[in-house]
Amino acid sequence: MANNNDFWGDLEREMSGTATQSSDFLEDGNDVELRTIFMYLVYDVSGSMGRYSETMFDSCIQTCRALSSAQNEDLNFRVKLVTFNEEVEEINKEFQDPADLEMLLSKDDFACEGQTSISKIITYLDKQFSRDALKERKLHKMDPKSVVVIVTDYQPVGETLETVTAATNNILSNRFYNKANRTLCIFCGEDKLKANAAELAGGLDNVVSMGQEYIQELLTPVLISSTITLSDATHVEGKTTEAKTTSEIATKIIEDQKASSESANQMTDAEAKEALKFLLT
């Protein structure tokens, strides 16, 4: 098993300013063979996403199935499904095995309506990466970083830009959020909003921009290729300089789709495994 360089222990020491990790933050984990990736799958279900309602529902089911299949003897996933419009809703309140999530899902969860509070989903994520929230997960020091995957057009409706900016500034000042997770944004909005999405996601390399005409065909394969490869990425030490970023892999899928409607299902295993190596390095 690859060494995770005691990421969580290093983070706790940095945040607490102590020479040793605090016993109330991390489980020791020295004897833990099974590592856990805590993952958020976040869907924008505001009115502007209405045309993608059925596609998002299907992609969520298929992604949970793929994550369940990817679990093995030394790595598992624990997933929390979250939707938002003018409010934030947790479909499951606790992190669960992806194999158990399909029975919780309903098309009604993806009935897109209402306004879009970008500030509320940002504030929600900010709280999820507070020290107290991380402590509740009973992290082991060998666990990989957490992952947030968000599907949105990032179009605030019913709130001011100043409100969104204030929430963004708060989360970007949260060092646990910046250091304890990797965020991927599946972006299906206007080009003028892409930079705002990139700010939350930590850079344009973490934003997959998908043209509206291809979302219905590509959302599911892109989501699966952007999550399932985590089971391999956790075993990679250091940053592979030749590895393609997630956005590059997804862009290739999208470009191929324009040439052939079958291309989305023809990505090789090698390409898929490159997709998210950067998430845990």
Side-chain angles (χ1 to χ4, degrees), residues 136-199:
E136 289 178 3
R137 293 184 204 174
K138 298 187 181 299
L139 294 159
H140 293 92
K141 69 178 184 179
M142 294 299 291
D143 285 340
K145 293 181 181 181
S146 301
V147 174
V148 177
V149 181
I150 180 170
V151 180
T152 180
D153 60 8
Y154 218 79
Q155 175 65 64
V157 178
E159 64 181 359
T160 65
L161 180 60
E162 288 75 17
T163 301
V164 177
T165 299
T168 302
N169 289 340
N170 284 338
I171 198 170
L172 293 181
S173 66
N174 179 347
R175 296 175 70 190
F176 280 107
Y177 175 81
N178 291 324
K179 291 179 175 288
N181 93 96
R182 296 294 187 189
T183 301
L184 174 67
C185 178
I186 309 293
F187 177 71
C188 46
E190 300 178 15
D191 286 344
K192 65 181 181 180
L193 298 171
K194 187 175 180 179
N196 297 341
E199 189 173 21

Side-chain angles (χ1 to χ4, degrees), residues 68-247:
S68 177
S69 297
Q71 297 183 115
N72 55 49
E73 66 275 6
D74 63 5
L75 177 70
N76 65 14
F77 296 95
R78 288 297 176 263
V79 179
K80 185 176 285 191
L81 303 176
V82 182
T83 61
F84 72 98
N85 44 29
E86 63 260 34
E87 300 295 338
V88 177
E89 183 73 26
E90 294 179 331
I91 295 176
N92 52 306
K93 302 297 182 183
E94 305 294 332
F95 286 97
Q96 291 182 230
D97 188 320
D100 299 330
L101 293 176
E102 185 173 347
M103 67 184 68
L104 301 179
L105 288 170
S106 164
K107 287 188 176 181
D108 290 342
D109 295 319
F110 297 85
C112 299
E113 59 186 5
Q115 298 180 324
T116 315
S117 180
I118 298 296
S119 66
K120 285 187 178 179
I121 189 61
I122 293 174
T123 300
Y124 167 83
L125 291 173
D126 192 8
K127 291 179 179 179
Q128 292 295 301
F129 286 90
S130 68
R131 188 183 188 284
D132 288 342
L134 291 173
K135 175 183 172 182
E136 289 178 3
R137 293 184 204 174
K138 298 187 181 299
L139 294 159
H140 293 92
K141 69 178 184 179
M142 294 299 291
D143 285 340
K145 293 181 181 181
S146 301
V147 174
V148 177
V149 181
I150 180 170
V151 180
T152 180
D153 60 8
Y154 218 79
Q155 175 65 64
V157 178
E159 64 181 359
T160 65
L161 180 60
E162 288 75 17
T163 301
V164 177
T165 299
T168 302
N169 289 340
N170 284 338
I171 198 170
L172 293 181
S173 66
N174 179 347
R175 296 175 70 190
F176 280 107
Y177 175 81
N178 291 324
K179 291 179 175 288
N181 93 96
R182 296 294 187 189
T183 301
L184 174 67
C185 178
I186 309 293
F187 177 71
C188 46
E190 300 178 15
D191 286 344
K192 65 181 181 180
L193 298 171
K194 187 175 180 179
N196 297 341
E199 189 173 21
L200 177 64
L204 288 172
D205 281 348
N206 302 331
V207 177
V208 176
S209 186
M210 198 174 294
Q212 294 180 355
E213 68 272 29
Y214 295 104
I215 292 174
Q216 292 181 337
E217 295 175 86
L218 289 175
L219 181 58
T220 296
V222 166
L223 266 176
I224 291 175
S225 69
S226 299
T227 55
I228 198 67
T229 54
L230 287 171
S231 60
D232 290 315
T234 51
H235 296 275
V236 177
E237 285 195 64
K239 193 160 188 174
T240 305
T241 57
E242 296 180 356
K244 295 181 180 178
T245 65
T246 308
S247 60

Side-chain angles (χ1 to χ4, degrees), residues 55-66:
T55 301
M56 290 192 293
F57 172 68
D58 181 67
S59 76
C60 190
I61 289 177
Q62 296 301 325
T63 301
C64 287
R65 289 176 180 173

